[in-house]
């Protein structure tokens, strides 16, 4: 069964939203879960968080940051095009608190991952405060969607929109007021690490969502192994969300760089500057 | 040729062969060797190593079979193929009848003819193995099966008269495919659920092209689909649907989802860049075609010096793959001796011919990294064999002060797999053993009525043929169960 793209929107200079047909996934997905997407023959299998779903329309929303050849292949799809393979929902659902007040922190494309978590919390009656950030105004995504679920503080590095500065600075002020029971943070690894370091001395539990390299997404390959506390976990089946105070972020960041040279090669090929196979 | 048309076939075993060639003459024929792709060429390509018997070689080899009255080879076969029958028919030159005979006993002979460990099964107990060399059962099976595949007529698998019953098969590896083939012949409506994007399980993600061309798996899958088996890929049972949901929608379920979770060594440095599980390494290369990167989207590290830890068939597949990806040195690191290796002898021979190095009685202590956290070596120690352990093999004991470093940039860990809890976790009532494998009775049924299981999820890491045997046996028991409903 292929999955038709029914809508496409550019959210920021390199982040694109695709709404695709996936009726079963639309019905059963839970916050925090992801899918493995393979565009077609020869494409990579890549993990993408389910940012939203419409059970009635039978669609799920995928938010994709174009970084390598495979993600660029996906964002180049137009409504009417099809994705050959989508498997899921994978990963454990988010550990949502049942009541009280939660702080959701999203950085860059991670804001789209925070969205279903905020949705889940909101549905449970938890008061949601979101802090989201981007380099500048055009990089801020999912603000409107998150505003429907609670208060939103926007931060930009250059101050072109909302507060000037990093999300951690705004988070520090909010946390100092003392009403937050749980922090959910998703974004670039340095951001998640900074949030975890901020909340650790305050003793505020913090959940982060990790994005290591994956192949099958079902626990079979072990490529997504991460160190959490003194244990090695597979992000695909044990995560992707973990206790941010236990995660070895340096290892995660290091392992994420494994295929950097290959990505450059693949990008060069896609741009027609590749010399491989040309003698 | 109407083979595979029914469940019971009894090709007439003709015995005029005995009149044609005496036992004495048969005994004088030497075992024919398998033509192979030259080692210097094949260590740089992914084409199949064994080229297959010609008809002439096959007929000659078939004449070596003594057609014993009490054939031990049949008992040596996990699916009880009537080996003397198909070989005798072949020796008479009746390849079509040989194929009919073989295929009735074994649904996937092109696959088992290539990947079965014949030397520890049928060929080990062959009477000719007592004084000399056994009949090359595996090579003959492959010849007959490939001949049948090449025939355009009569390849269809026929669905039996409809029973009106619906069956789900979880996993499309050897156990699942075999069970599906049998179940559809019994007349049941079969749906296979596969977690990956392509059917075949270990036959496509694990076993490399040079040992089992993927085209063969593709054809077997197509035959099942033509017979009416539905295959739904990208469905992860335990996630997309739970086992209780399947039980509601189907009259019976066969779980054959394999033993998916890779085991790591639990030594320092195992998360350095350049350390792979064999599952990941082989999946990248086989399923995702990473050897064609950048034409294929998925990359794999092409180590210049690759150390593969383990002594089984998966380790052999990984190390030979490393060589084909361009490794200058590809080394097997195994903590016991050559005699204790669980890998097939043929695979070890092939590896040796391809220039694979072996470090026997060596155990890894630590993966060493450079300043950028890339693998730079594997610190090991030498072992000696002590008293036999629970497996009956002599236990390796460290030799004090024997530490040394194997310089390498890639380490592949091929020391086994564990049961993947993804499915079983969604059905706590399902009875498991202490390792998380599903417990079944002699029919292959679990503690839940109508839920059967087989292959590696029951056995732990085993072989293709044992999984197929489970599929065949469970299908029969499922048929009985469904007819009694």
């Amino acid at each position: 069964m292929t999955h038709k793209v029914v809508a496409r929107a550019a959210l920021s200079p390199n982040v694109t939203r695709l709404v695709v047909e996936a009726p079963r996934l639309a019905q059963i997905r839970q916050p925090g879960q992801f899918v493995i997407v393979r565009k077609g023959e020869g494409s990579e299998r890549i993990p993408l968080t389910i940012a939203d779903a419409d059970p009635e329309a039978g669609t799920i929303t995928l938010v994709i940051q174009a970084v390598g050849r495979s993600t660029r292949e996906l964002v180049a799809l137009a409504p009417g095009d099809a994705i050959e393979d989508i498997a899921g929902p994978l990963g454990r659902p988010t550990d949502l608190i049942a009541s009280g007040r939660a702080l959701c922190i999203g950085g860059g494309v991670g804001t789209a991952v925070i969205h279903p978590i905020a949705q889940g919390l909101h549905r449970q009656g938890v008061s949601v405060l979101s802090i989201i950030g981007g380099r500048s105004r055009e990089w801020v995504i999912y603000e409107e969607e998150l505003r429907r679920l609670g208060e939103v503080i926007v931060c930009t590095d250059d101050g072109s929109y909302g507060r000037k500065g990093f999300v951690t600075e705004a988070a520090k002020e909010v946390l100092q007021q003392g009403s937050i029971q749980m922090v959910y943070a998703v974004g670039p690894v340095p951001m998640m690490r900074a949030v975890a370091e901020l909340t650790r001395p305050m003793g505020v539990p913090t959940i982060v969502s990790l994005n290591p390299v994956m192949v099958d997404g079902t626990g079979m390959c072990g490529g997504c192994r991460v160190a959490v506390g003194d244990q090695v976990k597979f992000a695909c089946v044990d995560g992707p969300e973990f206790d941010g105070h236990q995660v070895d972020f340096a290892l995660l960041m290091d392992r994420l760089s494994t295929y950097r040279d290959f990505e450059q090669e693949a990008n060069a090929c896609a741009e027609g500057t590749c010399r491989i196979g040309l003698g | 040729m109407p083979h595979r048309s029914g469940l019971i076939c009894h090709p007439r075993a003709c015995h005029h062969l005995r009149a044609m060639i005496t036992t004495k003459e048969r005994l004088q024929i030497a075992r024919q060797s398998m033509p192979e792709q030259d080692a210097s060429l094949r260590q740089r390509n992914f084409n199949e190593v064994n080229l297959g018997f010609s008809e002439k070689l096959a007929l000659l080899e078939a004449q070596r079979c003594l057609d014993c009255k009490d054939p031990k080879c049949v008992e040596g076969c996990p699916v009880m193929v009537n080996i003397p029958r198909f070989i005798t028919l072949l020796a008479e030159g009746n390849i079509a009848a040989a194929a009919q005979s073989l295929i009735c006993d074994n649904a996937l002979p092109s696959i088992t003819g290539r990947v079965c460990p014949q030397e520890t099964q049928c060929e080990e107990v062959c009477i000719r193995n007592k004084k000399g060399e056994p009949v090359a059962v595996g090579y003959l099976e492959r010849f007959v099966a490939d001949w049948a595949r090449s025939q355009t007529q009569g390849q269809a698998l026929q669905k039996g008269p409809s029973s009106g019953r619906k069956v789900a098969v979880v996993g499309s590896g050897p156990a699942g495919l075999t069970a599906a083939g049998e179940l559809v012949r019994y007349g049941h409506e079969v749906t296979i659920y596969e977690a990956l994007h392509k059917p075949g399980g270990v036959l496509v993600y694990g076993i490399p092209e040079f040992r089992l061309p993927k085209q063969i798996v593709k054809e077997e899958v197509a035959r099942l689909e033509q017979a009416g088996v539905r295959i739904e890929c990208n469905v992860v049972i335990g996630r997309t649907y739970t086992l209780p949901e399947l039980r509601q929608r189907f009259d019976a379920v066969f779980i054959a989802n394999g033993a998916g979770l890779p085991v790591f060594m639990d030594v320092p440095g195992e998360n350095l860049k350049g350390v792979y599980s064999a599952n990941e390494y082989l999946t990248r290369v086989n399923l995702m075609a990473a050897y064609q990167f950048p034409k294929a989207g998925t990359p794999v590290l092409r180590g210049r010096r690759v150390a593969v830890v383990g002594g089984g068939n998966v380790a052999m597949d990984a190390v030979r793959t490393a060589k084909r990806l361009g490794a200058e040195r590809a080394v097997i690191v195994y903590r016991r001796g050559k005699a204790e290796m669980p890998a097939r002898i043929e695979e070890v021979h092939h590896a040796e011919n391809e220039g694979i190095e072996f470090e026997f009685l060596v155990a890894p202590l630590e993966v060493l990294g450079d300043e950028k956290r890339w693998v730079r070596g594997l610190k090991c120690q030498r072992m000696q064999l002590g008293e036999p352990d629970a497996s009956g093999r002599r236990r390796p004991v460290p030799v004090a002060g024997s530490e040394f470093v194997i310089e390498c940039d890639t380490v592949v860990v091929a020391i086994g797999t564990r049961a993947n809890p993804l499915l079983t976790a969604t059905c706590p009532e399902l009875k498991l053993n202490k390792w998380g494998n599903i417990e079944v009775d002699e029919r292959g049924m679990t503690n839940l009525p109508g839920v059967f299981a087989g292959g590696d999820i029951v056995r732990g890491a085993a072989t293709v043929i044992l999984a197929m045997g489970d599929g065949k046996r469970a299908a029969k028991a499922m048929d009985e169960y469904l007819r009694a409903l």
Side-chain angles (χ1 to χ4, degrees), chain B residues 191-373:
Chain B
T191 304
I192 302 181
Y193 293 108
E194 167 55 48
L196 293 170
H197 59 267
K198 196 185 277 183
V202 74
L203 305 173
V204 300
Y205 77 71
I207 301 176
E209 178 79 14
F210 57 81
R211 222 154 56 82
L212 176 65
K214 301 299 157 254
Q215 181 60 25
I216 293 174
V217 184
K218 208 170 153 184
E219 287 171 21
E220 293 300 344
V221 168
R223 266 188 345 104
L224 291 178
E225 287 183 312
Q226 279 156 16
V229 172
R230 269 170 59 99
I231 303 183
E232 284 194 37
C233 288
N234 301 311
V235 177
V236 184
I237 302 302
R239 292 281 194 237
T240 319
Y241 298 97
T242 62
L243 183 56
E245 282 173 309
L246 286 194
R247 292 184 77 196
Q248 277 173 13
R249 290 174 42 209
F250 293 90
D251 299 303
V253 180
F254 179 57
I255 305 172
N257 60 341
L261 228 47
V263 175
F264 285 91
M265 299 179 285
D266 199 20
V267 300
E270 215 162 9
N271 295 327
L272 290 167
K273 299 189 293 279
V275 182
Y276 283 116
S277 73
N279 267 2
E280 179 177 4
Y281 191 65
L282 292 172
T283 301
R284 282 180 179 273
V285 177
N286 299 330
L287 179 72
M288 307 309 293
Y291 62 96
Q292 294 176 338
F293 182 90
K295 207 179 121 209
T298 305
V300 68
L301 298 173
R302 289 175 175 251
R304 216 157 55 78
R305 288 172 298 186
V306 181
V308 175
V309 181
N313 288 319
V314 175
M316 292 305 131
D317 286 345
V319 80
R320 296 172 69 198
T321 294
K323 193 79 186 176
R324 283 161 174 76
L325 288 174
E328 288 161 20
R329 282 191 73 191
V331 190
I332 283 284
V333 178
Y334 182 51
R335 64 197 186 111
R336 303 183 200 246
K338 186 173 180 180
E340 286 80 25
M341 278 179 115
R344 290 185 60 202
I345 292 167
E346 183 178 51
E347 307 312 327
V348 179
H349 285 328
H350 281 161
E352 284 169 341
N353 293 343
E354 289 163 15
I356 303 300
E357 296 167 50
F358 291 81
E359 285 281 5
F360 291 117
L361 289 165
V362 167
L365 292 175
E366 183 181 356
V367 186
L368 305 173
D370 64 15
E371 68 286 354
K372 288 186 171 163
R373 297 186 51 82

Side-chain angles (χ1 to χ4, degrees), chain B residues 172-195:
Chain B
S172 64
L177 291 180
T178 305
E182 297 286 322
L183 287 162
V184 80
R185 290 206 292 184
Y186 285 124
H188 307 303
E189 198 181 301
V190 183
T191 304
I192 302 181
Y193 293 108
E194 167 55 48

Side-chain angles (χ1 to χ4, degrees), chain A residues 173-223:
Chain A
E173 288 170 27
V174 169
L175 286 161
Q176 276 165 349
Q177 290 161 19
S179 63
I180 300 294
Q181 271 96 58
M182 179 78 102
V183 172
Y184 299 88
V186 189
V189 180
M191 183 212 97
M192 292 193 285
R193 178 165 55 189
V195 170
E197 289 316 314
L198 175 69
T199 57
R200 189 197 308 275
M202 298 176 172
V204 182
T206 300
I207 289 178
V208 294
S209 179
L210 308 186
N211 60 334
V213 174
M214 287 185 192
V215 182
D216 62 290
T218 64
M220 199 182 82
C221 83

